Amino acid sequence: MTRLSLRARVTAVATVAVAVVLLLAGALLLHALRVGITNRIDALLRADTALVSERSLDGERIPTAAIRNRLVQVVDADGNVVWSSPGAGADDAAPLLGAPLPWAADSGPHTVTVHHPDLGELRVRATPFGPDRQQWLVVARSQELATTARRAVVRAELVGVPLLTLGLGVVVWLGVGRALRPVEDIRATVGEITERHLSTRVPVPATGDEVARLATTMNEMLDRLDAASMRERQLVADASHELRSPLASVRALLETRDASPDPAAHDAEAMAAVIRLQSLVDQLLELASQDADVPVPNRPVDLDDLVLERAAGLGTATGLTVDTQAVSAGQVLGSEEGLRRVVDNLLGNAARHARSRVRVELREADGWVQLVVADDGAGIPAGERTRVFDRFTRLDDARTHDRSGAGLGLAIVAGVVARHHGSVAVDADPALGGARFVVQLPAAPDPTAPTAPTGPGAPTAPTGPGTPTG
């Protein structure tokens, strides 16, 4: 079943609504007109009754001056005409009211509407009359004016309501079409956008209304999609480049094993290449997980245990002096696997660039856990301290694979920290002289303490000039 377009539905709803309103207004107008004219006639009838009663002689006879241009009759309780003014019908003896009178036992005045065979529709008022109040003074006025007015209004409505409804339908149709034209332009433009042409943007009308805001929001969405697509293409290109070397090394080692004078050393070198390849694949999977925005677990993690465990292994494996005297308790909420990767990557980066010493600090204060990893290496130039957190970034003095890896470790650190609502920055360590990485993470709430404040007054992670924002 084909549904009507939005333009047609809006026009139909507006047209029907206006038609209903006009019909209701016409009905109310007719009712008000009828009530108003009837009330006016009733007031005139009361005045006529008072005038005739005041000018009657001895309560029975009515002078001619009092009935000029008026329909007046005097009837008895049975409705028989006792006296009638000239012009009260073709037969002046015919009663204006039917007999017997329905209210003969009631002494009060009554006003009714009757249809006279000669005079048409009349508004009649009957009032007790005469010395003994046993007769009725009947005064009448024609309602032809009210009937004519109502018919004129009905004719006007029969012509005016359809014309007004049709005219409004045309105006709404044109107006909605003009209002929806930018939406159609947006739809047509979006229909032409493909994954290979995300640089196209939809036109933004200069109206500043909801359609303009929709176009602006859609362009912002396209900006994000374009940026994500560029990051994906760059990641694929960089990953392909980085994977090519270890794969080529493994293949060459396997092909030359039989000709090697020392197969055991050959196998060890091949295993080292495979380990580098596996590490690179693991890092790429971690980056893909970050891009997919996989939810981070909300479990308590003792960061000090991770730091002490990994630091002890680093000292044993590298022979470096790893100072952990400033490591104190610190618990955060999040993924233990992700936080372990942060500690491993920071310690591994420090070990690759340190000459002989690495210092690790961990403290908790003011609702934040601060992790500091410093080394006594050459440090990072000030102009490169933000770029080191980009993917596949290796500084000019550390580009060899045996020292700098694939350039993904710090990018993974920045991504994991950001997903844990923290920050990471790098500067120069004043004591050791090398690089000093500072990670700020929200501390896990103490279950015995009051609920931490949220909103504008809640603590925020301190950031520095080297804090990555991506």
Side-chain angles (χ1 to χ4, degrees), residues 52 62-75 81-96 116 119 137-141:
V52 172
I62 303 174
T64 303
I67 61 172
R68 184 177 294 115
N69 299 325
R70 292 178 177 86
L71 300 177
V72 181
Q73 284 184 342
V74 177
V75 299
V81 177
V82 176
W83 182 89
S84 178
S85 66
D91 182 4
D92 292 343
L96 295 174
H116 194 277
L119 303 178
L137 175 63
V138 178
V139 181
R141 279 184 178 262

Side-chain angles (χ1 to χ4, degrees), residues 216-228:
T216 301
T217 302
M218 188 165 292
N219 282 336
E220 293 173 353
M221 178 193 67
L222 290 172
D223 289 339
R224 293 191 296 270
L225 291 176
D226 193 14

Side-chain angles (χ1 to χ4, degrees), residues 337-371:
E337 180 181 355
L339 294 171
R340 179 180 282 109
R341 191 177 293 273
V342 168
V343 175
D344 282 347
N345 288 356
L346 289 178
L347 291 177
N349 179 77
R352 284 195 300 271
H353 297 89
R355 295 185 178 92
S356 62
R357 186 177 181 83
V358 174
R359 187 182 76 252
V360 185
E361 302 174 4
L362 184 70
R363 65 181 64 88
E364 180 177 343
D366 300 328
W368 293 93
V369 174
Q370 184 183 72
L371 170 64

Side-chain angles (χ1 to χ4, degrees), residues 147-158:
T147 303
T148 303
R150 289 198 301 270
R151 289 174 180 171
V153 171
V154 170
R155 286 194 297 269
E157 290 181 356
L158 291 177

Side-chain angles (χ1 to χ4, degrees), residues 105-116:
D106 189 354
S107 60
H110 296 273
T111 304
V112 295
T113 299
V114 299
H115 184 78
H116 194 277

